Amino acid sequence: MWEHVGTNDAAVPRSTVLIKLTELFKYWFVASAFEMQFEDECPECSGPLSQSAGEIVCRDCGLVVDEDLIDPGPEWRSFEDDDKDRSRTGSPLTPSRHDRGLGSTDIGRDRKGRIPPRKRRRISRWRLQHNRAQFSSKAERNQMEAFSEIGRIIDRMGLPLDIRDTACELFRDAQREGIVQGRSLEGFAAAAVYASCRLLRLTRTKDEVVEVAKAGMSELSNAYDAMNRDLSLPIGAPDPREFLPRYASELDIPTPVEERAKQLVGKLDEDFIVGRNPSGVAAGCLYAAARERGHELTQKDAAKVAAVTPVTLRTTFKALKEEDLVEA
DNA sequence: ACGATTATTGCGTTCTT
DNA sequence: AAGAAAACAATAATCGT
């Protein structure tokens, strides 16, 4: 729906005449269209919004701003690498389907029992063979398995759909590189989700993914490491700041305090941060900022949302005190 | 296997009511 | 004075290399 703006030139045929009147007018038009696209922000944390299936959620705090929308339908954008082909014929290309949504046919079941038994058996045999014929290789079957697992994880974690799409793309790439061989399929599904969260700056911890995934921690790590290495993803160590919006939202911490916490993370010595649990650092700075601004927050609660102990929170709080702006 | 970080537990101290 | 919260210390577990 929003992605339509600016990509579909044919959608504004009547305006084009007017637009040509002056260059100025043209720029105004483009600017206002752009603004319409992005003017909405999260009422709670004023973070960016994202549209998932049937609802609009905040990318930072996960607040559901609007739901039960009309499904925007197929996304008319190209999923090819070149980004050139925006053909509007044929079925929509969906990356989360093993065949990209092309030529899928399902033979339904007879729920009402109106088809005579003889015919029914024949139909059921058709279905079986038809479904078998859909997979020309083991790889395709694996891909479908992985995609459905990815979709399940995304759903359970309440993540936006574009995360799912890039996760599916990542899995494709991994498969093309042949690194899935001999490793857990579920692990790769989980790893793809984790990696795309990292890529799109919606960082979650591995633990959070493992909790809902079918894969265990070791499977995820194996797959993720392999992907990171062989696909050379541009992912470094997670920045503590990436956790702040979510934690702040869960603790009902006002935005200015969260901003202060972000600032504190930035002021922290780089040597201190490396090798330390980023979400622990985030919790420590959040706690420090809250105490400084007189916002009620105990170490216990702050540590809890970050899934660390008060003791680890304290180490960064202590460093904060020793180094600079935070009073005892 | 090793060094560093974090978790766990227990306990005396400080702050709040 | 009582209870909660924060600080401290020692040891076990875990992580990264």
Side-chain angles (χ1 to χ4, degrees):
Chain A
M1 185 200 267
W2 291 344
E3 298 179 10
H4 233 138
V5 181
T7 64
N8 186 355
D9 298 357
V12 286
R14 292 192 184 162
S15 316
T16 27
V17 183
L18 295 175
I19 290 171
K20 281 186 177 176
L21 288 178
T22 66
E23 284 295 305
L24 198 72
F25 184 78
K26 175 180 172 184
Y27 286 127
W28 172 84
F29 183 84
V30 173
S32 63
F34 193 83
E35 204 167 314
M36 275 189 59
Q37 192 172 354
F38 292 109
E39 73 183 345
D40 290 342
E41 52 183 31
C42 176
E44 180 151 349
C45 65
S46 58
L49 295 183
S50 175
Q51 191 166 20
S52 305
E55 62 183 24
I56 294 180
V57 297
C58 173
R59 301 180 64 112
D60 283 340
C61 65
L63 177 75
V64 176
V65 178
D66 203 353
E67 52 189 342
D68 294 333
L69 305 171
I70 297 169
D71 191 300
E75 293 177 86
W76 293 111
R77 65 184 170 90
S78 167
F79 290 101
E80 300 299 330
D81 294 337
D82 55 10
D83 213 15
K84 291 257 166 57
D85 176 24
R86 293 213 177 89
S87 157
R88 287 189 166 65
T89 57
S91 350
L93 294 171
T94 309
S96 63
R97 197 126 177 164
H98 76 285
D99 56 1
R100 299 205 178 193
L102 294 168
S104 50
T105 307
D106 288 336
I107 298 175
R109 293 174 176 279
D110 173 35
R111 292 182 183 280
K112 294 176 185 166
R114 309 207 55 115
I115 301 178
R118 236 182 301 141
K119 220 168 192 174
R120 242 160 102 167
R121 301 200 47 168
R122 262 166 56 202
I123 291 178
S124 126
R125 204 161 55 239
W126 288 349
R127 182 164 52 228
L128 185 65
Q129 293 184 353
H130 181 82
N131 285 344
R132 275 188 188 147
Q134 281 201 323
F135 306 103
S136 54
S137 69
K138 187 98 173 285
E140 272 188 40
R141 200 210 218 64
N142 281 348
Q143 198 171 104
M144 211 215 63
E145 294 263 342
F147 283 6
S148 79
E149 169 69 356
I150 287 173
R152 202 182 58 82
I153 297 174
I154 295 291
D155 190 51
R156 294 246 280 162
M157 293 181 72
L159 293 166
L161 285 183
D162 48 345
I163 293 266
R164 188 200 61 184
D165 290 349
T166 68
C168 290
E169 293 289 354
L170 278 176
F171 181 82
R172 254 170 189 290
D173 293 342
Q175 207 167 37
R176 191 179 308 126
E177 292 295 317
I179 55 181
V180 186
Q181 297 279 354
R183 278 185 259 253
S184 148
L185 204 60
E186 292 85 4
F188 265 94
V193 172
Y194 174 71
S196 48
C197 283
R198 297 288 308 279
L199 283 172
L200 301 190
R201 307 266 104 165
L202 272 170
T203 307
R204 311 278 113 125
T205 59
K206 284 184 185 175
D207 298 281
E208 289 173 288
V209 179
V210 166
E211 217 173 287
V212 301
K214 282 180 186 162
M217 189 53 156
S218 58
E219 290 173 295
L220 190 158
S221 294
N222 269 332
Y224 174 68
D225 290 342
M227 274 173 58
N228 220 358
R229 180 165 11 93
D230 294 337
L231 275 77
S232 55
L233 302 176
I235 301 182
D239 188 313
R241 276 168 284 210
E242 293 168 26
F243 296 106
L244 286 177
R246 204 151 41 95
Y247 294 164
S249 160
E250 279 184 53
L251 292 165
D252 289 323
I253 286 178
T255 314
V257 176
E258 178 196 329
E259 285 301 315
R260 175 60 179 157
K262 195 188 288 183
Q263 206 177 350
L264 287 177
V265 175
K267 291 196 172 189
L268 223 35
D269 197 1
E270 195 63 32
D271 296 340
F272 174 79
I273 295 185
V274 293
R276 237 167 271 269
N277 185 348
S279 76
V281 175
C285 290
L286 206 52
Y287 168 75
R291 138 185 289 237
E292 184 186 65
R293 295 287 210 270
H295 189 268
E296 211 55 50
L297 175 65
T298 66
Q299 294 184 351
K300 186 159 154 278
D301 291 336
K304 193 175 174 189
V305 295
V308 295
T309 60
V311 187
T312 69
L313 178 155
R314 222 170 274 139
T315 68
T316 88
F317 180 49
K318 188 155 147 267
L320 235 33
K321 282 190 295 193
E322 285 170 358
E323 213 153 319
D324 51 15
L325 303 99
V326 157
E327 3 240 287

